[in-house]
Amino acid sequence: MASERLDRIRLSGDVPNHVAIIMDGNGRWAKQRGLPRQLGHREGMKSVRETIEGATEAGIKIMTLFAFSTENWNRPQKEVASLMSLLRRYARKELDSLKRQGVEVHVLGEAERFDDRTRDAVAMIVDGTKGGGTLRLNLMISYGGREEILRSVKILAERVAQGELTVDDLDEDVLHQTLFTVNVPDPDLLIRTSGEYRISNFMLWQIAYTELHITPILWPDFNREHLFEAVLDYQRRDRRFGLIGVS
Ligand code: FPP
């Protein structure tokens, strides 16, 4: 699809390798229309599809979506059930199209909390898309940034206690190897929709030097042009990683 923004992204050339998204505002989108929250989430699934297509067009290699937080388990049972059902539906409906696009899906988070049916659906989409070389898609489900770091600390403490590692062996690389995002480079760009200026316990370790783009658009209204706009915003940034800029 022709897009003037996409042309500008390509001209600049500096496409973010890894884009992470906090998909927020499904509930408000539904409320504004007098609809149940579930319909907001369902509409949000269309934005997921559209954003993946946009990411492949722009040449983004890794996309990470915050689909369900550890805190989300505390939402009303009906909403949790409907989000899990949506995830299963997503796996069923999108598998063929994801394969065709070369998207390799990874599901990261506390998977042991999924029910059997959801676990099967996750296995199906992960196994079914293995080897896709165009885009790596990380779906963060039952995920929390603090929980992830705490889990790493426990893994490392156990290894030290077993004598496999000494305290002096511990460094950023060793810790990185214990995160859910093992071997995934940190996000270059983090997008948050719905105009909230918060990180909400998302990828706390990984976003140390990530550029932030916050848009007022509610997630169900988010489309590829909004993704391209975020990439163009990223391309205007001067990333210094704590160093001084090039003058
Ligand atoms: C935040 O909106 C969104 C979520 C908690 C769920 C995200 C899920 C989807 C976009 C659909 C399913 C995705 C996949 C990959 C199958 P909110 O409910 O917090 O909105 P609010 O802040 O307006 O209430």
Side-chain angles (χ1 to χ4, degrees), residues 23-28 37 41 67 72 75 86 90 139 219:
M23 309 181 289
D24 195 17
N26 295 349
R28 273 162 286 169
R37 295 176 56 82
H41 296 315
N72 287 157
R75 289 194 177 189
L86 200 60
Y90 179 79
L139 296 179
W219 179 251

Side-chain angles (χ1 to χ4, degrees), residues 128-225:
T129 59
K130 220 166 246 168
T134 307
L135 175 81
R136 174 184 168 129
L137 174 67
N138 300 313
L139 296 179
M140 309 304 264
I141 300 173
S142 191
Y143 172 84
R146 285 188 174 179
E147 290 78 0
E148 179 183 40
I149 294 171
L150 187 59
R151 177 176 166 275
S152 289
V153 169
K154 287 183 180 173
I155 293 170
L156 294 174
E158 185 62 31
R159 288 195 192 148
V160 170
Q162 296 296 325
E164 291 169 31
L165 286 176
T166 69
V167 168
D168 282 343
D169 291 329
L170 301 182
D171 60 17
E172 292 187 13
D173 287 339
V174 171
L175 192 137
H176 171 84
Q177 291 301 318
T178 62
L179 295 171
F180 287 123
T181 53
V182 54
N183 294 330
V184 178
D186 292 341
D188 301 292
L189 171 65
L190 171 65
I191 301 170
R192 178 165 190 150
T193 60
S194 93
E196 305 287 356
Y197 284 71
R198 283 193 292 276
I199 296 301
S200 300
N201 201 16
F202 189 49
M203 301 187 95
L204 297 179
W205 177 272
Q206 296 89 337
I207 61 167
Y209 291 102
T210 298
E211 298 294 326
L212 307 181
H213 175 89
I214 294 170
T215 167
I217 302 293
L218 302 177
W219 179 251
D221 290 327
F222 192 86
N223 61 34
R224 74 187 73 203
E225 290 296 328

Side-chain angles (χ1 to χ4, degrees), residues 51-70:
T51 304
I52 290 169
E53 286 171 8
T56 61
E57 286 169 4
I60 292 164
K61 300 309 287 180
I62 307 170
M63 196 157 76
T64 300
L65 301 179
F66 200 6
F68 191 91
S69 71
T70 43

